[in-house]
């Protein structure tokens, strides 16, 4: 909705609670100009990541661009297929300059303002975090959420 990363974190927590998921301190995997996603979520180096179906994903979410399985299941274990996901993140894990003004803009893009960077939920290569950029900020897309 353009409320920034704090609003995205709140949405992750709301969705997790509604789905009855364990865990706390849910955060969106989003990069801003000042904070890349890997610092925002700050997982411990030995953190093993699984999706809601129990598939092992990775031991390090941002540092390695490739995953064992795509992150294609939502908080209710529904397969979202080839859904676009806001990330604001480059393949390297660095913050993209295309991040909808740190996700505070819900409109704009291309010639009329800032734009954003997306990942693709159906892939396990680096496209999960960086599938493309230049996407209008009003585009509907999902969030990757992680419990700390």
């Amino acid at each position: 909705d353009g409320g920034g990363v704090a609003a995205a974190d709140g949405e992750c927590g709301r969705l997790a609670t509604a789905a009855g998921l364990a865990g706390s301190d849910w955060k969106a995997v989003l990069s801003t100009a000042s904070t890349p996603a890997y610092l925002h979520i700050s997982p411990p180096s030995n953190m093993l990541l699984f999706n809601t179906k129990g598939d092992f994903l990775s031991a390090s979410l941002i540092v390695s661009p490739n995953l064992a399985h795509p992150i294609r299941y939502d908080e209710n274990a529904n397969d979202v297929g080839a859904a676009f996901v806001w990330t604001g993140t480059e393949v390297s894990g660095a913050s993209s300059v295309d991040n909808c003004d740190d996700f505070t803009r819900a409109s704009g893009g291309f010639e009329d303002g800032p734009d954003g960077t997306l990942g693709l939920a159906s892939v396990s290569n680096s496209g999960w975090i960086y599938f493309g950029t230049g996407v209008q900020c009003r585009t509907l897309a999902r969030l990757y959420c992680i419990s700390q």
Side-chain angles (χ1 to χ4, degrees):
D1 71 358
V5 174
D9 290 346
E11 180 68 0
C12 285
R14 187 190 70 73
L15 291 170
T17 298
L21 296 177
S24 61
D25 195 20
W26 286 88
K27 292 191 176 182
V29 181
L30 291 174
S31 292
T32 63
S34 62
T35 308
Y38 69 90
L39 291 177
H40 174 65
I41 60 172
S42 61
S45 60
N46 62 348
M47 182 176 192
L48 300 179
L49 300 167
F50 298 85
N51 65 23
T52 56
K53 298 289 265 188
D55 298 325
F56 172 74
L57 298 175
S58 177
S60 177
L61 187 62
I62 303 296
V63 178
S64 173
N66 297 316
L67 303 172
H69 295 279
I71 307 174
R72 59 184 296 155
Y73 297 100
D74 70 8
E75 67 280 2
N76 296 302
N78 296 315
D79 188 339
V80 300
F84 289 118
V85 183
W86 288 116
T87 67
T89 307
E90 299 287 340
V91 172
S92 66
S95 300
S96 171
V97 297
D98 297 317
N99 60 29
C100 298
D101 285 342
D102 290 343
F103 298 97
T104 61
R105 293 276 304 256
S107 63
F110 301 116
E111 65 282 340
D112 63 341
D115 51 338
T117 301
L118 295 171
L120 186 64
S122 62
V123 300
S124 58
N125 63 16
S126 61
W128 78 270
I129 193 78
Y130 179 86
F131 187 72
T133 189
V135 180
Q136 293 182 352
C137 299
R138 64 178 167 257
T139 301
L140 293 179
R142 304 182 79 82
L143 293 169
Y144 292 127
C145 299
I146 190 168
S147 174
Q148 301 288 264

